Amino acid sequence: MRRHQLAYIAALSAIVIVCMLSGNYKKDVASSIDNRYLTKFPQEISEDLTKQLSDYVQDRIGFRDQMIWLYTNFNNKVFRSYPNGIYGTDENLFGTGDDVMGSYQHLDGDAEYAEYFAEFLDKLRSYCMAKGIEFVYMLNPNKATTYPEWMPASVGVYDAENLTEQIKDKVDERGIRHVFVDEIFREKKGEDLLFYKRYDVAHWSDYGRIIGVNAVLEELSEEPLSVEKDYMRKETVAVKQLVSAITINDALIGYTPKSIYLKQETDSIDALQLVNPDSFGVYKNKHVESAQKKKLLLLCDSYLLGYFDYLGDNFSEIICVHAYDVPKLQMMIHLFEPDLVLFENVERAMDAFYPKELIRNYDHSVIPAYEKFCHLPEQQKEGIFEITRINETEVQNECSGSSDAGFWTIEGIALQEDYTAGTMVYMKSGEKIYIPIYYNNGAFKFVADGNTLHSNETIEFLLVDAMQAMRYQSRCFEVVYK
């Protein structure tokens, strides 16, 4: 073997070894370039082990960010190429994902989905109204919807309704309270940038957020915030694009609202079994005089996630739940008892967050409120009630757990006297009645707010018979702190 071949092999081996030794192997590492967590090392052997190992090495190899920076900036400067994006007029960047382009080009029309989605919203609204809770739907636009005049002329638009227009029509037909932010933006486009030119192609600017949120506050008859009085205006320079390595050096105008809401400690959050627990939070208004204001439950995506101070001093408390956890919305309403529910989403994330099967079959996952059965006579018949697990720990028919737990999970069985399941079981603590996460073949699981469970007091189980003709005699268990 010739010397230059040996030198080539040695150099290549050295580069591989250095890159491997310089890798980032820490747990739970987020990439600012990809806007995601890096792949974790496989925990078990499976059919996808080879792919998992490959993804792990590609994400963790040394100098990864530097190599991505060089590659993306070279392509951006020389070929005007941007990952998952396209340049429009006046240096404006737009996303090119199927969801964004399908909406802009009017290729995503689906009348059936629009009908299902509007019906889904109507069911949520009806459920809230039955409990005396206000419900408002907020639909946010993509950048291309707001600034079609900046899109490249080479991207054609078909003469057809897109999914957004179809959903808006159906929501209007059903009379659902709503805020269509695209219509608000059309009136405000000349005042300031509602979306940044290049810094963030996926989300609105700070100014756009102010305009969108103020429209919701006005719909709720709450006090909108003043751009001049309630925000600190600051001019900055964004060196690089938010979710890529591309250097932009763009001048931005940012708006920072006054700090109002403080996130509370939520121990035992695992009890809620959320798909996106990192996005969940309970935020209390730090102003004592605002304690009597309304409580807001916010179902949202990244457009509002983490930007609660933009809602101003209008609420005593904000409970945030990510859109991925919409199947848990009913449980959240019972758990936190809000005065208002705001359902927010962006037009490009419809089927991704709310698959057709989920919204079409939503009736099957709705547990009827106890008010539907409270008028039934309570008989002297005794049902069969047992508590088997508290906070994932087995217990012997007792309600005992830690006083420090923010949430309690209570599992057990509730059966009729013939050992068959009833229609539904409910749990009462003080004046608060909980619905179960599930009641299947007599087995139940509840999640309760630990602050409402007090030692030496009782919880009460209420069982409705299978014929929905009566309620069994309730069964009480004493709450015991360990």
Side-chain angles (χ1 to χ4, degrees), residues 179-393:
V179 176
F180 297 145
V181 179
D182 63 321
E183 298 175 2
I184 310 297
F185 276 7
R186 288 195 197 103
E187 302 171 5
K188 302 287 185 178
K189 273 170 50 169
E191 298 178 3
D192 205 339
L193 285 179
L194 301 166
F195 287 82
Y196 296 119
K197 293 178 68 173
R198 294 189 295 179
Y199 175 63
D200 184 359
V201 302
H203 303 95
W204 48 21
S205 65
D206 285 354
Y207 182 75
R209 187 177 299 108
I210 293 171
I211 298 302
V213 171
N214 275 354
V216 170
L217 292 175
E218 290 174 3
E219 174 63 30
L220 294 172
S221 301
E222 301 294 344
E223 188 67 30
L225 274 65
S226 166
V227 175
E228 293 78 18
K229 297 178 182 179
D230 296 314
Y231 292 91
M232 182 178 71
R233 186 179 186 274
K234 185 177 181 181
E235 296 184 15
T236 60
V237 175
V239 176
K240 71 180 190 69
Q241 211 261 348
L242 180 63
V243 291
S244 79
I246 290 178
T247 301
I248 56 173
N249 290 318
D250 278 2
L252 307 180
I253 297 176
Y255 293 90
T256 304
K258 298 173 184 177
S259 175
I260 297 173
Y261 299 97
L262 299 176
K263 188 173 184 178
Q264 307 299 297
E265 291 293 329
T266 48
D267 298 329
S268 311
I269 191 174
D270 291 345
L272 301 178
Q273 297 180 320
L274 300 175
V275 175
N276 198 331
D278 292 340
S279 298
F280 170 78
V282 177
Y283 299 82
K284 285 191 178 293
N285 192 319
K286 64 184 181 181
H287 300 143
V288 176
E289 62 273 17
S290 298
Q292 300 305 314
K293 293 182 178 180
K294 293 179 179 179
K295 186 189 297 186
L296 172 67
L297 178 64
L298 176 61
L299 183 78
C300 68
D301 57 24
S302 54
Y303 266 57
L304 285 183
L305 194 61
Y307 296 103
F308 312 116
D309 287 333
Y310 281 75
L311 290 158
D313 189 9
N314 286 299
F315 306 101
S316 62
E317 186 176 312
I318 297 175
I319 301 97
C320 175
V321 184
H322 194 275
Y324 280 137
D325 285 300
V326 67
K328 300 290 178 64
L329 186 59
Q330 187 187 12
M331 179 188 74
M332 292 295 182
I333 289 173
H334 272 266
L335 198 57
F336 294 102
E337 299 180 322
D339 302 295
L340 303 163
V341 171
L342 175 59
F343 186 130
E344 175 266 325
N345 77 294
V346 61
E347 63 174 313
R348 69 172 178 273
M350 300 302 302
D351 190 60
F353 286 168
Y354 315 106
K356 186 180 288 189
E357 283 302 306
L358 169 68
I359 59 177
R360 181 171 62 184
N361 298 315
Y362 186 70
D363 269 346
H364 300 305
S365 61
V366 173
I367 294 172
Y370 180 66
E371 287 78 5
K372 179 178 179 179
F373 306 114
C374 63
H375 67 283
L376 295 178
E378 182 177 358
Q379 303 294 334
Q380 294 304 310
K381 292 183 179 180
E382 293 186 1
I384 300 161
F385 300 91
E386 290 184 14
I387 296 178
T388 56
R389 292 169 68 89
I390 300 288
N391 296 334
E392 308 301 322
T393 301

Side-chain angles (χ1 to χ4, degrees), residues 75-99:
N75 279 280
N76 186 51
K77 291 291 185 182
V78 177
F79 302 110
R80 301 285 290 162
S81 173
Y82 174 78
N84 300 317
I86 187 172
Y87 276 100
T89 60
D90 197 23
E91 292 294 298
N92 272 282
L93 273 175
F94 293 89
T96 54
D98 291 343
D99 46 6

